[in-house]
Amino acid sequence: MSKPFGPLPPEFAAQSGDLMIAGRSASDWVREHGSPLFVYDPTIVATRVAAFRAAFPGVDLHYAIKANPHPAMIVAIGAMVDGLDVASAGELAKATVVKPAASISFAGPGKRDSELAAAISAGATLNVESEGEATRALAIGDRLGVAPRLAVRVNPDIELKGSGMKMGGRPSPFGIDAERVAPLVQELVQGGADWRGFHIFAGSQALDTQALIETQAATLALAERLSEEAGHIPPLVNLGGGFGIPYFSGDTPVDVAAIGAALGVRLAGSPLTRVGTRYAIELGRWLVGECGVYLTQVVDRKQSRGETFVIVDGGLHHQLAASGNFGTVVRRNYPVAVAHRIGEMPADEEVSVVGCLCTPLDRLADRVALPPVQIGDVIAIFLAGAYGATASPSAFLGHPAPIEVVATRA
Ligand SMILES: *Cc1c(COP(=O)(O)O)cnc(C)c1O
């Protein structure tokens, strides 16, 4: 029995069997740019942003650039969102080219003094992850003669149920345990910081709409409680994000309209809203994951003990996540297609698509039913817009880096 694969994102239509990406066929893209190739279509991101705006009026949208830090993507998305979230001095440098520093926040454990200084002198907000980091940031602000913009990242006592990556309710290298936050806020204010508020991120890749609604409500309640304990009004509460996308067979998209409606009711009744607190949601994967396709050409086909292998010129060194080796427990198949045989029947040849690396981990699709595949065909692996090219071990085995193109439509 062949194994199922996830749903193709709705934007990718076919024209006479050819997969179309941003108005051009996949084969065209490969002919012009080569293979293996990531193509990103920012107009798909724009539709996600529009859906967010409709669902969450008045809530700021931030883009977590680690999901896809391609410079042209940061430019395109930077123009659509209210803020950028970065996680290193390198990302900070890329973000400040695109957005004013006041709309950039920098989270992540283990920020070095040089990184704190770069953020403080640029005027970006540091989401402090520990008391020690807060002390260092204040001292660096003193030395530079700048009041550092500091938000407190909270390690919440809640967790995002059903999320692929849990980040709350347990010991964590991220954020400061909720019960120690109020005294720290007071110290920051007394220490001369420009206190920016709270950052509360409870998890990632959640597809359970109801769980997201409950987590946001609990996150807001926590922010209200901490503000009261601290005796200070947070200018901004970053409610986290964690909206997932459907990668696998049986997955369904999150209902952002329902999440937004529930949050809207909750925010309207919040004492923080009455005193002027703003809110932000930070998203990476949900904004960019579906806009990217990884295209890779078939180099060889072979049979071995009853299994047919289609061997491509790409692999996990470019798209680690599709091989199931990026934070997944059970290996399941990403949406996959033969790019110029979309909809072709019968699609009943069972093949495994494997990459060109010398490791059995390099399996991009495991025993899937596809139309007949030949050498030279282009295989498309969808959902390659987030945590693809830069989240994969591209130096492993010394193959060339992937080509990445950001589509512009005529
Ligand atoms: C990685 C990260 C994000 C983005 O997560 P997605 O699942 O890609 O939306 C948001 N906030 C923080 C703090 C992160 O570390």
Side-chain angles (χ1 to χ4, degrees), residues 64 66-67 85 87 107-108 127 129 153 167 174 199 201 203-206 238 240-244 282-287 386-387:
K66 75 172 184 290
D85 293 330
N127 295 339
E129 306 268 357
R153 179 162 181 186
M167 308 191 73
F174 310 108
H199 174 216
F201 181 75
S204 185
Q205 180 50 21
N238 180 332
F243 301 2
E282 54 178 7
L283 298 171
R285 188 189 309 273
W286 184 82
L287 286 175
Y387 306 109

Side-chain angles (χ1 to χ4, degrees), residues 253-279:
V254 292
D255 183 348
V256 285
I259 299 168
L263 182 64
V265 171
R266 191 64 188 73
L267 292 181
S270 172
L272 292 178
T273 308
R274 282 195 289 282
V275 293
T277 292
R278 287 199 61 78
Y279 306 95

Side-chain angles (χ1 to χ4, degrees), residues 199-355:
H199 174 216
I200 308 175
F201 181 75
S204 185
Q205 180 50 21
L207 288 174
D208 181 339
T209 296
Q210 196 52 39
L212 281 160
I213 289 173
E214 284 165 21
T215 300
Q216 285 189 340
T219 301
L220 183 63
L222 176 59
E224 290 166 352
R225 196 186 84 211
L226 294 175
S227 309
E228 171 126 14
E229 278 174 30
H232 292 284
I233 295 166
L236 182 79
V237 173
N238 180 332
L239 296 163
F243 301 2
I245 55 175
Y247 282 99
F248 305 117
S249 165
D251 284 356
T252 50
V254 292
D255 183 348
V256 285
I259 299 168
L263 182 64
V265 171
R266 191 64 188 73
L267 292 181
S270 172
L272 292 178
T273 308
R274 282 195 289 282
V275 293
T277 292
R278 287 199 61 78
Y279 306 95
I281 290 178
E282 54 178 7
L283 298 171
R285 188 189 309 273
W286 184 82
L287 286 175
V288 292
E290 289 164 303
C291 88
V293 188
Y294 180 57
L295 300 174
T296 175
Q297 250 175 325
V298 177
V299 175
D300 199 4
R301 276 186 61 112
K302 63 183 277 193
Q303 308 277 339
S304 170
R305 303 209 164 107
E307 191 166 344
T308 302
F309 292 93
V310 164
I311 302 165
V312 295
D313 57 6
L316 70 72
H317 55 311
H318 297 162
Q319 185 44 348
L320 180 67
S323 75
N325 293 293
F326 190 66
T328 37
V329 181
V330 181
R331 199 221 166 285
R332 288 181 293 173
N333 288 313
Y334 273 39
V336 58
V338 185
H340 35 110
R341 302 216 160 89
I342 303 279
E344 198 171 293
M345 292 295 161
D348 60 359
E349 188 188 31
E350 185 184 294
V351 300
S352 291
V353 179
V354 299

